[in-house]
Amino acid sequence: MGRSPCCDKLGLKKGPWTQEEDQKLLAYIEEHGHGSWRSLPEKAGLHRCGKSCRLRWTNYLRPDIKRGKFNLQEEQTIIQLHALLGNRWSAIATHLPKRTDNEIKNYWNTHLKKRLVKMGIDPVTHKPKNEAPLSSLGLSKNASILSHMAQWESARLEAEARLARESKILHYQTKPSSHHHGFTHKTLLTTWTCKTNQGNADQQQQQLESSTSTVSFSEMKDLSAKTEFVGSSTCLNLIKEPENDWFNSTVHEFEATEMAGGVDEGFTGLMLAGDSLGRSFSAEKNETVKEWSGGGDCSNYYEDNKNYLDSIFSFIDPSPPMF
DNA sequence: AAGTGGAGCAACCGCGTTTAG
DNA sequence: GCTAAACGCGGTTGCTCCACT
């Protein structure tokens, strides 16, 4: 059986969109929403396929899109997220409100990738092309931790997608009561990048609206240790699934490191543990940004690389969790 | 002024995943 | 449960603009 046939591909226009087409698409979506992309072109009076319409809308016409140059903050975020997530542009785009995955992808390919190459950093692995000197600086442990984190984030995104689907089903099956526990499914999507703001209702509300996650690493660890979670057990179930075994090993690794290096330092302590220089991140972060924007002077090769990695590590919540 | 090459970016293509029937 | 269309994503292409020769 399957679905009814797709839109007739004969006689459909391709190539750049005209102003008239844009206006038609905009007007239609503003009035009716996009609904089914497949049927949209005909309803909107466009001789385009639904795929083309969707692309035009998501990459160009959407009103919540910010266009123009990327600022330093955005650049840094892209690089840091790329180090963690690789070429998962849609995932990266969720951390950059108002930017599309296509725009980020283009910006990476035309600007940022070249800049990293100039600095002597492999844009695929985000490792220096000659890693030995950095290892001697004590950064190899951080690299392995980063690898764990990439796995973690990867699985988190998968869980996020699954929860989104689940919540969609629930939304249609039951009357929405998303906040009855004070948590939506988004609250359950954990990461180490965000601080908690318990005790502040406004901020909590903001978190609930946010597409990014809200629970600190310490909370995550508690989740695993105590096997409980306020509001729902969905997250925990995901974590405890066999394919997420790496999660437990990662948690144990962190626990071990934390015990050795002293409690209450949380992630900051952990991330700093492998850095024999033990410098302040926040101060140097700005330096790094300046160097990058200046075009990457390779004369400071090792210093650049250290700053670069520091920057990635500091992206992962440098502040101790707030309880 | 014309030709050339590079940068920037919108849009297409192909493939894997999801979902309607 | 199966099939095939729809969807979404990442890679790639090709067009336009601009600087340089």
Side-chain angles (χ1 to χ4, degrees):
Chain A
M1 285 299 152
R3 296 183 179 187
S4 52
C6 176
C7 52
D8 179 16
K9 292 193 174 179
L10 293 172
L12 293 179
K13 195 184 167 196
K14 285 164 81 173
W17 280 65
T18 64
Q19 268 199 336
E20 190 192 351
E21 286 177 312
D22 281 348
Q23 277 173 0
K24 277 185 182 175
L25 183 57
L26 257 176
Y28 180 85
I29 292 178
E30 272 174 11
E31 197 175 341
H32 305 97
H34 63 72
S36 161
W37 287 111
R38 174 188 148 219
S39 58
L40 182 146
E42 196 184 342
K43 290 178 185 168
L46 290 160
H47 299 289
R48 296 265 182 180
C49 74
K51 200 171 181 175
S52 180
C53 293
R54 181 175 59 82
L55 217 61
R56 183 64 178 170
W57 170 254
T58 53
N59 287 338
Y60 197 85
L61 295 175
R62 249 171 45 198
D64 57 334
I65 287 177
K66 174 183 170 187
R67 308 195 66 78
K69 283 193 105 180
F70 283 73
N71 61 36
L72 287 176
Q73 180 69 46
E74 287 174 316
E75 283 187 8
Q76 201 180 8
T77 304
I78 292 169
I79 293 169
Q80 288 160 338
L81 286 169
H82 189 271
L84 287 168
L85 304 172
N87 293 358
R88 299 170 72 173
W89 306 114
S90 62
I92 293 172
T94 63
H95 293 267
L96 284 158
K98 303 187 177 187
R99 296 291 190 182
T100 68
D101 52 356
N102 202 37
E103 200 178 8
I104 293 168
K105 178 174 64 181
N106 283 333
Y107 193 70
W108 170 264
N109 286 327
T110 55
H111 293 91
L112 300 179
K113 200 159 89 175
K114 291 171 188 172
R115 202 177 297 170
L116 294 192
V117 169
K118 253 188 172 180
M119 285 170 62
I121 290 168
D122 185 341
V124 179
T125 62
H126 288 255
K127 287 176 183 172
K129 281 174 182 161
N130 179 6
E131 201 178 11
L134 287 175
S135 300
S136 69
L137 288 169
L139 291 173
S140 58
K141 186 174 182 178
N142 279 348
S144 105
I145 290 166
L146 185 62
S147 168
H148 265 299
M149 287 174 166
Q151 279 187 299
W152 192 346
E153 177 67 1
S154 185
R156 187 187 68 78
L157 286 161
E158 281 167 26
E160 198 164 333
R162 288 173 61 170
L163 284 165
R165 285 198 297 278
E166 281 175 19
S167 79
K168 212 176 180 180
I169 292 165
L170 282 172
H171 176 76
Y172 288 114
Q173 285 178 344
T174 64
K175 193 179 174 184
S177 56
S178 56
H179 290 193
H180 67 289
H181 285 305
F183 288 91
T184 67
H185 75 274
K186 287 172 182 171
T187 315
L188 302 172
L189 306 173
T190 53
T191 183
W192 57 85
T193 60
C194 301
K195 298 169 192 172
T196 56
N197 291 295
Q198 289 181 5
N200 184 324
D202 288 340
Q203 284 175 326
Q204 273 195 355
Q205 184 56 37
Q206 281 183 346
Q207 288 175 354
L208 294 174
E209 301 297 338
S210 167
S211 63
T212 52
S213 322
T214 57
V215 183
S216 71
F217 168 72
S218 297
E219 287 173 290
M220 192 68 162
K221 196 182 69 178
D222 285 347
L223 276 181
S224 174
K226 296 175 187 168
T227 61
E228 64 178 21
F229 194 84
V230 181
S232 168
S233 62
T234 311
C235 180
L236 192 62
N237 291 337
L238 286 165
I239 290 165
K240 292 176 81 175
E241 282 172 7
E243 64 264 34
N244 289 329
D245 278 351
W246 56 263
F247 171 81
N248 293 320
S249 66
T250 304
V251 167
H252 290 145
E253 184 179 314
F254 281 124
E255 283 174 334
T257 311
E258 222 174 297
M259 280 180 187
V263 195
D264 293 336
E265 286 184 9
F267 237 67
T268 312
L270 176 66
M271 300 312 295
L272 285 167
D275 185 350
S276 59
L277 299 173
R279 289 170 284 102
S280 158
F281 279 125
S282 55
E284 296 225 340
K285 211 164 147 183
N286 292 333
E287 292 290 320
T288 309
V289 169
K290 276 179 201 162
E291 282 169 26
W292 288 352
S293 62
D297 179 4
C298 292
S299 63
N300 292 323
Y301 177 84
Y302 296 127
E303 192 59 28
D304 274 349
N305 287 332
K306 274 195 285 113
N307 288 340
Y308 172 75
L309 291 172
D310 283 354
S311 175
I312 289 172
F313 296 137
S314 68
F315 182 68
I316 297 158
D317 189 5
S319 313
M322 297 158 64
F323 294 108

